[in-house]
Amino acid sequence: MTTQKITIELNGEPFALDSGVRLQDLIDQLNLRPTRIAVALNRTVVPKAEYPSVSLKQNDKVEIVNFVGGG
Amino acid sequence: MSAAGKAADEALNCALPIGADGVRQKMYDDYFELAGKRFHSRLIIGTGKYRDFAQTRAAVEQSGAEIVTVAVRRVNITDRAKEGLLDYIDPNKYAILPNTAGCYTAEEAVKTCRLAREAGAGELVKLEVIGDPKTLFPDVAATIEAAKTLIKEGFKVLPYITDDPVACLRLEELGCAAVMPLAAPIGSGLGIRNPYNLRIIIEQTKVPIIVDAGVGTASDAAEALELGCDAVLMNTAIAGAKDPLAMARAMKLAVEAGRLAYLAGRIEAKLYATASSPLTGLIS
């Protein structure tokens, strides 16, 4: 049986995921430290506590940001 | 030297001569408050444009800054760095001030602040809503609009704004935690182009005034403090210098010198001479 794939937009680029994947799974897969990032799903900020419960759907727009040098 | 004096010296790392206890005390007792928190360093520095994170950290250390600004950007998905800025700038040691640089609308700026808060920054935000890419001057109307929303959401807003006394007044009335008039365009190094407007802003404003943008060298920073501004925020002037660490130290000293001169109370500027030597007992 093959897992169904979905495509989301991750930081402006298409990104393939297994369907049913949750935000937490994506963050783990990318090896990101949740304490250092923030996520917006379809332009709305997602609180960290909700990462494990938010499922990603086809065409979702996910933005993952962190702090970089700036003035 | 008393233990308190030593502690004051270490806290300030200030280069005042031994015996100048009154002066040292004056500097030690000196602080400004942002959203209820006291800061002894009146220099706020940006973390952009450095060679690497190690140099960023060294510059922050040399500057004595207690507040550093950072930008909020997308994580590079295809090339994820092992280390981040906050591995070098300890958020437990420094107040992290996220900015909204690059935002051209109130909506983008508000979203950036929300993301920054979720990424672990506190409630202090440096609000900038840019109105024009060539000058990077702020969009005053959009800045006011964003400030309203952010204040409602509990943010302590530090707005980057033109050196316009009325715009500063409006932002203060809205409940901004400080106003941050520019000295000159961001990264221009032109120094304080309109000290008279700054004087008006200083006279009328009750919240802290932080000169943000335009500083080129140490004398510009000193001038801001001499005028009576509460603090100075800069990035390019340090990061773009040939020796950023030396410039970071120069800025620390300049800000301390400027503040001390302000506290000391300068002489009035006069058009004609006043002799420094006695006019009596002249040799004929």
Side-chain angles (χ1 to χ4, degrees):
Chain A
M1 192 185 110
T2 52
T3 321
Q4 227 184 324
K5 291 276 185 186
I6 59 164
T7 305
I8 61 163
E9 190 186 301
L10 177 58
N11 285 357
E13 300 289 335
F15 195 85
L17 281 175
D18 291 341
S19 75
V21 158
R22 287 160 200 267
L23 196 48
Q24 185 67 56
D25 303 324
L26 173 65
I27 290 162
D28 292 343
Q29 185 186 324
L30 294 171
N31 222 351
L32 298 171
R33 283 175 289 177
T35 51
R36 293 287 169 83
I37 59 161
V39 180
L41 175 59
N42 301 321
R43 301 188 68 78
T44 305
V45 179
V46 184
K48 286 189 205 306
E50 292 177 19
Y51 293 170
S53 58
V54 172
S55 299
L56 296 172
K57 297 181 294 295
Q58 178 71 20
N59 297 330
D60 270 346
K61 284 189 170 57
V62 177
E63 254 183 309
I64 305 179
V65 301
N66 63 356
F67 293 128
V68 301
Chain B
M1 200 193 313
S2 69
K6 243 182 198 159
D9 257 6
E10 274 162 28
L12 290 160
N13 194 13
C14 81
L16 294 169
I18 305 290
D21 279 324
V23 179
R24 189 183 295 116
Q25 200 59 40
K26 205 166 199 164
M27 285 299 275
Y28 185 58
D29 290 342
D30 186 51
Y31 61 86
F32 77 108
E33 260 186 41
L34 270 184
K37 212 173 165 253
R38 289 182 180 189
F39 296 98
H40 288 276
S41 168
R42 291 173 179 272
L43 177 57
I44 302 172
I45 75 167
T47 53
K49 297 184 177 178
Y50 288 96
R51 190 180 60 219
D52 51 34
F53 290 141
Q55 192 189 46
T56 313
R57 173 165 62 195
V60 172
E61 282 168 359
Q62 285 299 321
S63 76
E66 294 168 303
I67 307 172
V68 298
T69 66
V70 299
V72 180
R73 288 292 179 274
R74 286 172 166 176
V75 172
N76 187 337
I77 299 296
T78 49
D79 179 25
R80 294 186 302 283
K82 294 248 179 323
E83 290 181 317
L85 178 65
L86 297 192
D87 294 317
Y88 285 80
I89 308 291
D90 181 0
N92 296 315
K93 197 172 160 198
Y94 299 99
I96 303 295
L97 179 62
N99 70 26
T100 64
C103 291
Y104 279 79
T105 65
E107 191 198 350
E108 284 166 13
V110 168
K111 184 182 159 197
T112 302
C113 291
R114 289 173 182 155
L115 282 167
R117 182 151 68 178
E118 196 53 36
E123 263 140 13
L124 281 178
V125 287
K126 174 183 165 180
L127 172 64
E128 32 183 327
V129 186
I130 304 299
D132 163 48
K134 194 169 176 183
T135 59
L136 297 180
F137 279 144
D139 181 325
V140 175
T143 303
I144 288 172
E145 187 192 337
K148 269 186 202 163
T149 308
L150 290 168
I151 290 164
K152 251 186 244 157
E153 294 184 13
F155 286 98
K156 311 291 184 196
V157 179
L158 315 181
Y160 156 73
I161 196 71
T162 12
D163 54 359
D164 168 356
V166 176
C168 287
L169 207 56
R170 293 288 170 269
L171 288 162
E172 183 182 9
E173 285 165 0
L174 281 180
C176 288
V179 290
M180 304 209 295
L182 56 84
I186 295 173
S188 70
L190 285 173
I192 296 171
R193 297 205 298 187
N194 197 339
Y196 301 101
N197 270 25
L198 277 183
R199 277 172 57 184
I200 295 171
I201 293 165
I202 291 160
E203 211 177 275
Q204 71 181 17
T205 309
K206 286 175 194 74
V207 293
I209 297 135
I210 302 166
V211 162
D212 179 9
V215 165
T217 187
S219 52
D220 300 333
E223 187 186 358
L225 274 292
E226 285 170 5
L227 284 169
C229 293
D230 294 275
V232 183
L233 195 163
M234 65 181 75
N235 192 151
T236 308
I238 295 174
K242 284 202 179 69
D243 183 340
L245 304 191
M247 189 56 92
R249 174 54 56 136
M251 291 301 183
K252 171 192 162 70
L253 297 173
V255 164
E256 287 174 4
R259 179 63 185 173
L260 202 49
Y262 173 77
L263 293 175
R266 63 155 294 158
I267 61 160
E268 205 182 315
K270 295 186 295 279
L271 193 56
Y272 293 102
T274 317
S276 308
S277 304
L279 297 173
T280 54
L282 290 170
I283 303 155
S284 59

